[in-house]
């Protein structure tokens, strides 16, 4: 278990952004980064992602189609990798995983393995690694952009994106970046994790309309 505790986020110290405003602000800030890096912590085990045909196929229970649609992203991922290399930009992800895997996480790990093969930096940590920071509640979904901006990404109870809270206090941003970096350091590369824990799994079984 990681001994380092996650910093506390106080929503009143940040600025609440609606979903559209958050997406635009995120995109503009990320595209402006040169010779820098960003760090994302993914904690929830279920999301209702929007705008993803592969995710829609999973929701319908069509596993083969979901994987086929992921494979169709190759050119897009390759172009994104080239653009990040041009800007000397690196985006890191840490995915917290609980067992047994939810259908969503099983699908997402397929997606992330593919992203990793195109140069994205993704590592997996078991939920036990963050237990010290979750005595009261689960960790939030957090993205730190370029060492300057922290977004606490918000979701409804069912996992639908619901905007974000933006923080720009440099000390807070740095402490969260260091926490995610520490998790990344103890994490396992998503490709080796996938090969050992996910590749052999049967297609997920959806239940009660929820995956």
């Amino acid at each position: 278990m990681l001994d380092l505790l996650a910093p506390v986020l106080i929503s009143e110290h940040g600025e609440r952004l609606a979903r559209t405003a958050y997406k635009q602000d995120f995109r503009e800030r990320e595209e402006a980064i040169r010779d820098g890096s960003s760090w994302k912590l993914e904690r929830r085990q279920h999301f209702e992602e929007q705008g993803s045909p592969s995710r829609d196929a999973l929701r319908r229970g069509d596993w083969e189609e979901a994987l086929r649609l992921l494979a169709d992203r190759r050119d897009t991922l390759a172009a994104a990798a080239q653009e990040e290399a041009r800007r000397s930009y690196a985006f890191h992800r840490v995915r917290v995983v609980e067992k047994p895997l939810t259908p969503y996480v099983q699908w997402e790990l397929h997606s992330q393995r593919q992203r990793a093969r195109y140069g994205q930096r993704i590592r997996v940590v078991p939920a036990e690694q963050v237990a010290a920071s979750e005595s009261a509640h689960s960790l939030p979904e957090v993205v730190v952009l370029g060492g300057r901006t922290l977004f606490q990404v918000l979701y409804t109870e069912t996992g639908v994106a619901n905007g974000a809270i933006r923080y720009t206090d440099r000390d807070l941003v740095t402490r969260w970046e260091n926490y995610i970096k520490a998790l990344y350091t103890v994490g396992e590369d998503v490709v080796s994790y996938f090969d050992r824990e996910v590749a052999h799994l049967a297609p997920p079984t959806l239940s009660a309309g929820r995956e």
Side-chain angles (χ1 to χ4, degrees), residues 78-185:
Q82 292 175 356
E83 171 61 17
E84 290 185 358
R86 185 187 68 80
R87 293 193 284 130
S88 298
Y89 174 61
F91 192 94
H92 306 77
R93 296 172 187 259
V94 174
R95 158 43 81 183
V96 177
V97 170
E98 297 178 9
K99 288 186 176 180
L101 302 182
T102 64
Y104 173 85
V105 170
Q106 184 178 342
W107 169 82
E108 186 192 48
L109 288 169
H110 277 267
S111 174
Q112 292 188 340
R113 179 195 59 163
Q114 183 192 38
R115 290 179 180 275
R117 293 192 182 281
Y118 285 88
Q120 294 196 21
R121 299 157 178 83
I122 306 171
R123 292 189 180 178
V124 176
V125 298
E128 292 78 11
Q129 285 284 10
V130 300
S133 295
E134 295 192 322
S135 59
H137 49 73
S138 296
L139 286 170
E141 307 295 312
V142 170
V143 187
V144 176
L145 287 184
R148 293 180 176 274
T149 309
L150 183 152
F151 291 103
Q152 178 184 357
V153 191
L154 305 177
Y155 295 87
T156 67
E157 288 295 323
T158 58
V160 177
N162 193 29
I165 301 174
R166 181 178 61 204
Y167 302 85
T168 55
D169 177 81
R170 183 59 64 89
D171 179 65
L172 178 66
V173 172
T174 298
R175 286 188 288 122
W176 263 103
E177 181 173 274
N178 288 340
Y179 178 74
I180 301 173
K181 284 181 177 179
L183 286 175
Y184 188 87
T185 298

Side-chain angles (χ1 to χ4, degrees), residues 16-20 22-23 44 46-51 59 141 152-164:
R16 179 73 161 83
L17 301 175
R19 183 169 181 267
T20 301
Y22 160 60
K23 291 177 65 177
R44 290 179 62 100
H46 177 86
F47 293 96
E48 288 291 342
E49 292 188 9
Q50 299 171 326
R59 193 176 290 108
E141 307 295 312
Q152 178 184 357
V153 191
L154 305 177
Y155 295 87
T156 67
E157 288 295 323
T158 58
V160 177
N162 193 29

